[in-house]
Amino acid sequence: AVVRGYDKTKQSEIDAMAAAINEAIDALELKPADYTEANKQIARYEALDGSLYTTSSYRAASTANTNLGKKMNLTIDQQGTVDSLTNALKTAIDNLEYKPGNYSAVNTAISSANALLAAAEDYADAYNGNPYYTADSVAALNAAIEAVVTGLTIDKQAQIDGYATAINNAIAALENNTADYTAVDAAVASIPADLDSGRYDDAKVAAVKDAQNAIVTGLLTDEQDTVDNYAATLDAAVKALTVKGA
């Protein structure tokens, strides 16, 4: 402690007091800088999944985090540096950009759907406009395709995958329409009205009746070949009819 009023005979003591004060001054230690916000931003960075973000934006955040990490032992007189580095990390994290979402499964599902619908159109063109699938099931498939929102980022990947699932489910739910029996109806109509009159060869008449009786109605479009065969078989049997004694 400083004692005042000493005369010159006490100069050595006065000098000792001055030295003690200077030593105390030299021994003063600055408090550490406040790293509360810095630690918060570092925790945000460490919780990130780097695979979700674009290379450039994640690199910026990584660099900012490294720069701050190098200055974690500064004192309060350097608080400005800490705050600046902290703000740089916060900004980099806030500006992270998600990668684009993966639409490969969606695109594959849409391609499969389009191929089926194109084949259905070809069928309809070949069979008097008869739809290959029921209108409701085709509408459901088209609705699933139209529901797709493009351009979503990877953080919405579950939603994107849901689009693919919905389309594939709609494909699986497509219902076949009733087959086209136009040719069968024409073949039946060509059977002579006097088939049972006795004027035709018995074996030929039997062949016509067997062909007609073999027809199963109500088959679906996936059995169109069977229906076509009914028509071809009956048409051939009718054309093969011969009059007895001719």
Side-chain angles (χ1 to χ4, degrees), residues 47-61:
L48 296 173
D49 180 353
S51 67
L52 299 178
Y53 304 100
T54 60
T55 300
S56 59
S57 68
Y58 188 71
R59 183 186 298 119

Side-chain angles (χ1 to χ4, degrees), residues 76-232:
I76 196 167
D77 60 324
Q78 296 174 298
Q79 187 66 48
T81 299
V82 175
D83 293 344
S84 178
L85 293 172
T86 299
N87 287 334
L89 177 55
K90 180 180 184 301
T91 298
I93 294 174
D94 290 343
N95 291 335
L96 283 169
E97 298 176 356
Y98 283 112
K99 292 178 180 178
N102 184 348
Y103 278 80
S104 59
V106 174
N107 293 334
T108 297
I110 290 176
S111 294
S112 297
N114 288 338
L116 290 172
L117 294 176
E121 289 183 6
D122 291 341
Y123 169 86
D125 289 341
Y127 286 97
N128 306 292
N130 187 56
Y132 191 84
Y133 299 111
T134 63
D136 286 346
S137 65
V138 170
L141 175 56
N142 285 328
I145 294 173
E146 291 168 4
V148 174
V149 176
T150 59
L152 296 180
T153 48
I154 197 169
D155 57 316
K156 301 292 193 303
Q157 191 61 50
Q159 181 178 344
I160 296 169
D161 293 342
Y163 294 144
T165 298
I167 294 170
N168 287 325
N169 287 343
I171 289 174
L174 283 170
E175 297 180 2
N176 289 88
N177 196 27
T178 303
D180 178 26
Y181 278 77
T182 302
V184 171
D185 294 339
V188 171
S190 72
I191 298 174
D194 61 349
L195 182 66
D196 292 322
S197 65
R199 62 188 297 262
Y200 298 104
D201 180 84
D202 292 341
K204 302 294 186 180
V205 169
V208 170
K209 290 184 175 181
D210 287 344
Q212 183 176 14
N213 291 335
I215 295 171
V216 177
T217 60
L219 296 183
L220 303 181
T221 49
D222 57 339
E223 296 184 280
Q224 186 66 55
D225 288 347
T226 299
V227 176
D228 292 345
N229 187 60
Y230 292 152

Side-chain angles (χ1 to χ4, degrees), residues 227-243:
V227 176
D228 292 345
N229 187 60
Y230 292 152
T233 301
L234 179 55
D235 184 64
V238 171
K239 290 178 178 178
L241 283 171
T242 56
V243 177

